[in-house]
């Protein structure tokens, strides 16, 4: 008997390929005798009508497992809304890279079946809480599984800010912005601007400058429990934006403070039992394959 009795499904909106895989997944799960619930937002746009529907918060509260059919962006969105409950997430890839959604569509029956039988790897990923203050007053809050980014917004202009880590001054910088990334996000935006790849099991945060005016400015890796504070400088005619996973955003002004810390709640992510982080890196990033002469 599967330990997962109630399974929630979330699909990538507007994707016919995701809807096809969602239907295939539903047919398979129905044969396993589990209760299936469909995310309300997914059901509103998907050609699936006979399953019970739940709002995403209710889905997280009532299900033993949530399966996301889509890309990493779909899983990021689901993770931000469901991490408070600790419900495990499993991803079926109908996007592009698939660092988080690591089951291929043609593997649904075999690999989801193995998960239901208890053959899987479970890992914990931490998220970031982001708070923006103005004159000591909280203006906005956000959650990120990948990264918190300070950037110029609609203008391609350098911005100025000060960086503090655990209340210690680090530097004042002029650049296109700053990325504050978890290990999960280290293979996303941070990687594209020269940040290090971090194993997802690390308890660390990386701070990556975006095209800094000073070439000696490099990524800094700090402890996962560090408090990172960014103070926005005088930008004259632009107002930098703060985004969490490229979704929620806040427009800032001079002297605003952006405070980023590890979120108390963690994401439980499930992988097939043959999951291999380095194999995913080889496949997704084009690394050379094994020569056969090693271990």
């Amino acid at each position: 008997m599967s330990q997962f009795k109630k399974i929630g499904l979330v699909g990538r909106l507007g994707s016919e390929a995701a809807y096809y895989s969602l239907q295939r997944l539903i047919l398979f799960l129905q044969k396993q005798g589990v209760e299936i619930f469909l995310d309300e937002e997914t059901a509103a746009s998907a050609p699936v009508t006979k399953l019970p529907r739940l709002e995403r918060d209710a889905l997280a509260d009532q299900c033993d497992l949530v399966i996301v059919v889509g890309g990493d962006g779909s899983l990021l969105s689901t993770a931000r809304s469901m991490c408070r409950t600790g419900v495990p997430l499993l991803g079926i890839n109908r996007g592009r890279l698939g660092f988080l959604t690591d089951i291929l569509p043609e593997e649904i029956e075999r690999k989801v079946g193995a998960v239901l039988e208890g053959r899987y790897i479970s890992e914990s990923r931490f998220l970031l809480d982001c708070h923006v203050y103005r004159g000591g007053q909280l203006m906005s809050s956000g959650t990120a599984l990948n990264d918190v980014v300070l950037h110029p917004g609609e203008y391609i202009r350098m911005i100025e800010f000060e960086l503090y880590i655990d209340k210690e001054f680090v530097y004042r910088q002029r650049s296109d912005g700053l990325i504050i990334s978890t290990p999960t996000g280290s293979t996303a935006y941070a990687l594209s601007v020269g940040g290090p790849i971090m194993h997802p099991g690390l308890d660390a945060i990386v701070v990556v400058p975006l095209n800094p005016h000073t070439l000696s400015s490099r990524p800094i890796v700090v402890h996962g429990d560090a408090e990172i504070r960014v103070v926005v400088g005088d930008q004259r005619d632009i107002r930098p934006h703060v985004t969490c996973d490229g979704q929620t955003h806040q427009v800032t002004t001079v002297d605003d403070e952006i405070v980023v810390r590890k979120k108390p709640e963690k994401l439980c992510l499930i992988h097939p039992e043959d999951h291999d982080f380095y194999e995913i890196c080889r496949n997704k990033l084009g690394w050379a394959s094994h020569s056969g002469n090693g271990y």
Side-chain angles (χ1 to χ4, degrees):
M1 292 289 292
S2 172
Q3 69 182 90
F4 304 117
K5 309 296 185 185
K6 298 181 179 181
I7 297 178
L9 304 180
V10 177
R12 179 181 178 185
L13 302 180
S15 168
E16 290 187 10
Y19 296 153
Y20 171 80
S21 294
L22 192 62
Q23 291 279 19
R24 179 172 171 174
L25 176 62
I26 290 169
L27 290 175
F28 172 73
L29 291 176
Q30 287 173 333
K31 294 176 183 178
Q32 310 311 306
V34 298
E35 286 189 75
I36 309 169
F37 300 89
L38 195 60
D39 167 57
E40 180 71 45
E41 190 175 359
T42 302
S45 59
V48 181
T49 57
K50 295 183 180 180
L51 291 175
R53 306 178 180 187
L54 292 173
E55 294 286 345
R56 195 160 292 191
D57 282 349
L59 205 68
D61 289 328
Q62 297 190 32
C63 293
D64 307 311
L65 171 69
V66 172
I67 303 177
V68 180
V69 182
D72 286 351
S74 301
L75 196 140
L76 287 171
S77 173
T78 306
R80 288 194 301 271
S81 61
M82 294 190 176
C83 67
R84 62 178 180 81
T85 68
V87 61
L89 301 187
L90 176 69
I92 295 173
N93 187 23
R94 271 301 188 177
R96 291 185 292 273
L97 278 177
F99 272 96
L100 299 174
T101 50
D102 49 7
I103 294 179
L104 297 176
E106 60 270 22
E107 300 173 330
I108 286 176
E109 291 82 5
R110 179 169 62 88
K111 291 200 171 181
V112 174
V115 169
L116 296 183
E117 292 171 2
R119 294 185 284 118
Y120 60 84
I121 297 171
S122 177
E123 66 174 356
S124 177
R125 302 280 185 100
F126 73 84
L127 300 90
L128 298 174
D129 272 332
C130 174
H131 303 287
V132 179
Y133 296 91
R134 182 170 301 159
Q137 180 180 355
L138 179 64
M139 301 301 296
S140 68
S141 298
T143 297
L145 176 57
N146 267 357
D147 47 46
V148 175
V149 181
L150 174 68
H151 60 94
E154 58 186 288
Y155 299 98
I156 305 176
R157 294 277 300 277
M158 279 196 169
I159 58 179
E160 190 169 296
F161 56 86
E162 291 182 350
L163 173 66
Y164 297 80
I165 297 175
D166 288 333
K167 299 183 180 179
E168 293 187 17
F169 176 71
V170 180
Y171 54 58
R172 185 175 184 87
Q173 184 179 99
R174 285 177 54 80
S175 67
D176 288 347
L178 194 71
I179 301 173
I180 302 168
S181 173
T182 66
T184 300
S186 70
T187 52
Y189 191 15
L191 179 63
S192 71
V193 295
I197 293 175
M198 302 167 69
H199 189 279
L202 286 174
D203 185 12
I205 298 170
V206 63
V207 181
V208 186
L210 278 168
N211 303 318
H213 188 68
T214 302
L215 296 180
S216 61
S217 182
R218 292 290 184 263
I220 301 173
V221 179
V222 300
H223 194 277
D225 290 328
E227 177 191 271
I228 298 167
R229 183 164 60 97
V230 180
V231 181
V232 178
D234 186 359
Q235 314 300 326
R236 296 185 180 177
D237 57 346
I238 61 173
R239 299 183 68 186
H241 292 213
V242 179
T243 60
C244 296
D245 287 346
Q247 301 298 315
T248 59
H249 76 278
Q250 168 72 38
V251 179
T252 67
T253 188
V254 61
D255 291 334
D256 279 5
E257 295 189 4
I258 303 144
V259 179
V260 178
R261 303 184 188 91
K262 181 192 294 182
K263 193 174 185 68
E265 301 85 2
K266 292 188 177 181
L267 167 67
C268 178
L269 194 59
I270 283 181
H271 301 286
E273 59 184 350
D274 60 352
H275 172 77
D276 183 333
F277 173 72
Y278 299 109
E279 181 183 10
I280 292 174
C281 288
R282 288 194 298 274
N283 291 336
K284 305 301 181 182
L285 303 178
W287 292 355
S289 58
H290 201 294
S291 66
N293 297 324
Y295 292 101

